[in-house]
Amino acid sequence: MSDNIVLEFSKPFSIDKYELFLKAKKLPEHSLKYDWRKDAYFITTHKRFAKSLGITQAEYTPSDLPISDFLFDYQEFIIKQAIAAKRYAIYADCGLGKTLMFLEFARHVIHKTGGKVLIFSPLQIIQQTMEEAVKFYNKTILHLKTRKALREWLQADNSLGELAITNYEKMAEGELPELNYLDGLIADESSIFKTGGGVIKWNILHSINGKSGMAPTGIEYRLSCTATPAPNDIMEYASQASFLGKLRNEGDILWTYFSRDKYGNWGIKPYAEEGFYRFLSSWSIYIRDPKHYGFYDNLKNVPDPEFHIIKIPETQEQKDLELKIRRQGNETLFGDLKLGVVKRSRLSQVAKGFMYEKDKSITYVNSEKPKTIIDIINTKVREGQILVWTVFDEEGEILLRGLPDYIAKNLTGKTNENERLEIIENFRHGELPVLISKPELLGFGLNFQFCNVMIFSGFNDSFEQFYQAIKRAHRFGQTKALQVYIPYIPELEEMIYENIVKKKNNFEKEVARHDEIYKKIIIENGSLTI
C-alpha cells in the first residue's frame, strides 16, 4: 500500500542500527518478516509511524517558521516550549488565549511534519475556534461532524485538509487506532481527562497509548490545554501525563509522589514535593497571571468584577418545608452543620420555587427568588446581554416563564445538539439578550466578554464551576466591570454559599503557591529569566 513503508535491517547489526531496529519493532500496526536468504529483517508499518524514527523527516529549525507576531510575549514563550518538548500541557487561566496558542502549535507541527493535526474540543466551542482560525490565521479548519467522517479523514491523504476539529463525543463509541496516523493531536478543554473512569477518556488514551499504558510513537506531537487545575487534583495531573505519554499508567504518579494518610486521603510525600513539581514543569506550564512570570501585563485594563450579594427572605411556605426537610432522617450530634448533599439539594430547590418528587413530578413552592431575578433581568437587559446561571432544569424554566419569549432561552442537557448550537451562536452574535444555563454546559471554553451582567440563580458546592462561570465574561477583551449578582435565601442556601467562599480562600492560597513553585523551577532550568 502507498501509505506503508518497508524498513530493512540487514545483518550484521551495528549498535545504532540495532537500537533503531528495537524502536521499529515497537511501532503500532507493524508486521515483521525475516528473509534468511538476505539475512535481514523487514518491518512494514505506516509511513506516519516511521517518521517518528527520524527516517523520513528533517530536523525542525525554528527559523523556518517564525512565531506569529500577533501573539503576546508569554504565548510566544509557551509555544516555543511546547514545540521543543513535542508533548506538552498548557495549564493557563481562563482568558489567556489558549485557542491561539494551540492554533499556533498546530501551524508549526503541520509545517514541520507535512502531516495532519486533529483538535478534540467540546462541541459548543467548535464554531468559536473555527472563527478564531479564520480571523487570526485566515485558515479554514475542517469540522468532522460524524465518527465516519473522522475515520475517513484519518485514513485519507492531506487532500481533505491537514487540520481538522471534532468533539470529544465522537470517541464515546469505542477506540480509534487510526488516531495514530496523526502527526499532532490537540486536546482543548482537556479537563475531560480528570474523570476517573469516563468512557471517552479511556477510549482516547487506549487508542493512542495502548491498554498497556506504554505510549506508541505514532503521534509525535501532543498538546493538552486546560485551565489551571487545583493543586491537589492528583488524578487530573495523572491523566494529563497519560495523554502526553509521560507515564506507563496513572498509578505511576500516585505511588511515586503521593501516599495516603490514616483517613485514606492522598497527599504528596514531603520528600517528593520538589521532584513532583520538577516532573510536571518538564512537560507543562502553570500560569494564572503573565506578569507574575515577568511578561507584559495584558490583563491590567480588565476591571475587577463587582459583586452584588442580595439576601431574600423566606416565605411562610418555605419555612414550613425547611423545617420538614431538616427533621427528615436521623439527627446528628452536629445538627445542621452535618446536612448531607440530598438535604441541601432539597433546600436549594425550595429556595428556587419548586421541589422534585420521587415519582419525578414537580411540586411548586411560593418563593420571592424567581421574582427578584426577573426584576434584575428586566432592569439590566437595557444595558446589555445577561448570563443567568442555574443548577436545576426546572429552575431555568420557572425564570423563562416570567420573561417574554424573545428575550431569553434556557439551555439544558435535554436541549438537542442543533438547537444548543443555535442558541449559543445567537447569544454570541448579540441576537439573544438573555441566556439561562448551567456552568457544566457553558462554563468551559466559551468567550462571552461582551456580556457585562451575570446572575447566579443557583450555585452548588463546586468553586471550580463558580470560578469558571465568572471567567466566561471576566477575561481579556472585557472593557467594563462585570456586574455579578448573587441573590440567595440565607436559611435555605447559606451552607452552600459559605462552602464556596471557604473553598475560594483555600484555592487562592494553594494556586498562588503552585504558581510560585512552577516559576522558580522554570527559572532554575534556564528557560526563563526575570
Side-chain angles (χ1 to χ4, degrees), residues 224-276:
S224 175
C225 300
T226 185
T228 48
N232 58 356
D233 199 340
I234 305 165
M235 289 311 301
E236 177 154 11
Y237 288 114
S239 295
Q240 297 284 351
S242 293
F243 170 74
L244 297 171
K246 301 295 181 180
L247 298 171
R248 288 174 299 176
N249 56 65
E250 294 182 0
D252 280 4
I253 202 170
L254 292 175
W255 301 115
T256 303
Y257 301 107
F258 294 84
S259 61
R260 278 180 166 164
D261 61 22
K262 62 181 180 180
Y263 303 107
N265 300 315
W266 287 100
I268 193 166
K269 300 173 183 176
Y271 61 85
E273 184 177 56
E274 182 175 346
F276 174 63

Side-chain angles (χ1 to χ4, degrees), residues 93-251:
D93 202 7
C94 310
L96 293 184
K98 291 186 286 293
T99 301
L100 289 186
M101 285 191 271
F102 73 65
L103 288 174
E104 183 72 14
F105 180 83
R107 173 174 172 259
H108 283 264
V109 172
I110 291 169
H111 174 79
K112 172 178 168 52
T113 66
K116 295 179 181 178
V117 174
L118 176 67
I119 304 165
F120 275 125
S121 171
L123 177 66
Q124 64 267 24
I125 63 176
I126 286 178
Q127 184 60 38
Q128 177 180 279
T129 300
M130 294 173 70
E131 290 175 8
E132 295 278 283
V134 172
K135 177 181 177 181
F136 288 95
Y137 292 94
N138 194 28
K139 176 73 175 178
T140 300
I141 304 177
L142 179 64
H143 183 188
L144 303 171
K145 298 182 179 181
T146 66
R147 185 175 168 94
K148 179 182 178 183
L150 171 59
R151 178 176 270 119
E152 289 176 349
W153 177 78
L154 290 168
Q155 294 174 332
D157 57 27
N158 284 13
S159 60
L160 297 178
E162 69 277 6
L163 180 60
I165 189 168
T166 194
N167 54 304
Y168 284 103
E169 287 75 12
K170 297 295 178 289
M171 294 300 297
E173 297 177 27
E175 297 173 25
L176 199 61
E178 290 89 346
L179 288 175
N180 288 288
Y181 294 170
L182 294 166
D183 288 281
L185 180 61
I186 296 169
D188 184 23
E189 295 300 326
S190 59
S191 58
I192 189 173
F193 292 130
K194 72 181 178 183
T195 54
V199 172
I200 292 173
K201 164 191 166 178
W202 289 116
N203 284 340
I204 292 175
L205 294 183
H206 289 162
S207 294
I208 63 177
N209 290 342
K211 291 186 179 179
S212 65
M214 296 300 293
T217 51
I219 308 177
E220 186 176 10
Y221 289 87
R222 303 180 193 178
L223 185 69
S224 175
C225 300
T226 185
T228 48
N232 58 356
D233 199 340
I234 305 165
M235 289 311 301
E236 177 154 11
Y237 288 114
S239 295
Q240 297 284 351
S242 293
F243 170 74
L244 297 171
K246 301 295 181 180
L247 298 171
R248 288 174 299 176
N249 56 65
E250 294 182 0

